[in-house]
Each structure stands twice: as structure tokens, then as C-alpha cells.
Amino acid sequence: MIHELYSTGPYDEVQPEIREVYEDIMETMGIPFVPNFFKAQGHDYELLRGTWDTVQATLYHGELPRVLKELIIYVISEQHSCRYCSDIHGMIACRLDPSLNQDVLLELTMTGHTSRLSEGELLAINLASRA
């Protein structure tokens, strides 16, 4: 029962309204796949739609630049040893800002600092990661 509830079945087998949300996720995030975080909610359109709407409101709107939001999520994911989340958000951050790469992300994770970010950006990341 639990396995069926959280199944991440093949993309071409999901209901059309779920596929529509998946397409929006891939297009908006600029990635060629649907993250498992969303696939695991693909059994329930309302849940998936609500989650995706919340993620969009958080990551794509507001005062902070998206790359900074991605870096905040990356650092927090690293602190909590969530490799899957840190990999995805690190990848997206690097796509959004070509001056970022794995070495810069590692430096940020290990030292809380990198010369690639402003003091204000570093302060925001460090503050958010301590909340």
C-alpha cells in the first residue's frame, strides 16, 4: 500500500493533469527531469499542484534573487546531509550563475565563505542556515 502511494512510475503513464504539472516543473526549473520530490506526490493532483504552487511562490517570487535562494537551500541541505536536495539545488545554482561550480559550492559548505559571493549574500546564507 505505501509503495503504491509513493510510486514514481514512468512519466508516460501518469494522468494528463499530472503530466501538465510535471512539464511546468521541468520548464520552470530549467531541468530535463522531474525531481523525485514531486514524482512522489504524483499520485494526488491537488497535493502536487499545491506543493508546486508553494515552491514557485517561494523560489520564483520575492526580493531575493533566485540563485541566492538556491544557494540557501543547498547549504541547508548539506548541513542536514540531504545529498539528493543539495545535488539538485547546487546544480540549479550553478546553471543560474556560471561563475559557480562544484569547487565554489564545496568551499561555501566547508568554510561558509567564497570570494564568488558578496558579503551580503554570504550573510543571508549564513543567517538562513542558522534559523
Side-chain angles (χ1 to χ4, degrees), residues 11 18-28 34:
Y11 174 82
I18 299 293
R19 188 175 300 122
E20 185 178 307
V21 177
Y22 285 176
E23 291 289 335
D24 189 29
I25 290 167
M26 290 186 293
E27 182 178 332
T28 303
V34 178

Side-chain angles (χ1 to χ4, degrees), residues 98-111:
S99 75
L100 299 175
N101 58 44
Q102 290 299 326
D103 292 334
V104 173
L105 295 178
L106 181 61
E107 178 185 14
L108 180 61
T109 301
M110 300 301 288
T111 67

Side-chain angles (χ1 to χ4, degrees), residues 1-10 13-14 22 36 38-43:
M1 169 92 170
I2 296 239
H3 174 69
E4 292 174 13
L5 183 62
Y6 298 105
S7 174
T8 59
E13 292 180 14
V14 299
Y22 285 176
N36 287 338
F38 295 109
K39 283 184 180 177
Q41 299 173 49
H43 66 282

Side-chain angles (χ1 to χ4, degrees), residues 54-125:
T54 300
V55 167
Q56 287 184 90
T58 304
L59 285 178
Y60 300 95
H61 302 290
E63 299 293 321
L64 293 178
R66 180 166 170 227
V67 67
L68 181 56
K69 293 176 185 181
E70 295 289 352
L71 287 169
I72 289 169
I73 297 169
Y74 166 78
V75 169
I76 292 170
S77 297
E78 281 286 315
Q79 290 173 342
H80 291 276
S81 300
C82 182
R83 182 65 184 233
Y84 177 78
C85 295
S86 63
D87 283 351
I88 286 186
H89 290 284
M91 176 193 70
I92 292 171
C94 290
R95 284 185 174 193
L96 292 170
D97 182 348
S99 75
L100 299 175
N101 58 44
Q102 290 299 326
D103 292 334
V104 173
L105 295 178
L106 181 61
E107 178 185 14
L108 180 61
T109 301
M110 300 301 288
T111 67
H113 188 272
T114 177
S115 61
R116 302 287 172 104
L117 300 174
S118 72
E119 287 302 317
E121 291 168 322
L122 291 169
L123 180 62
I125 292 167

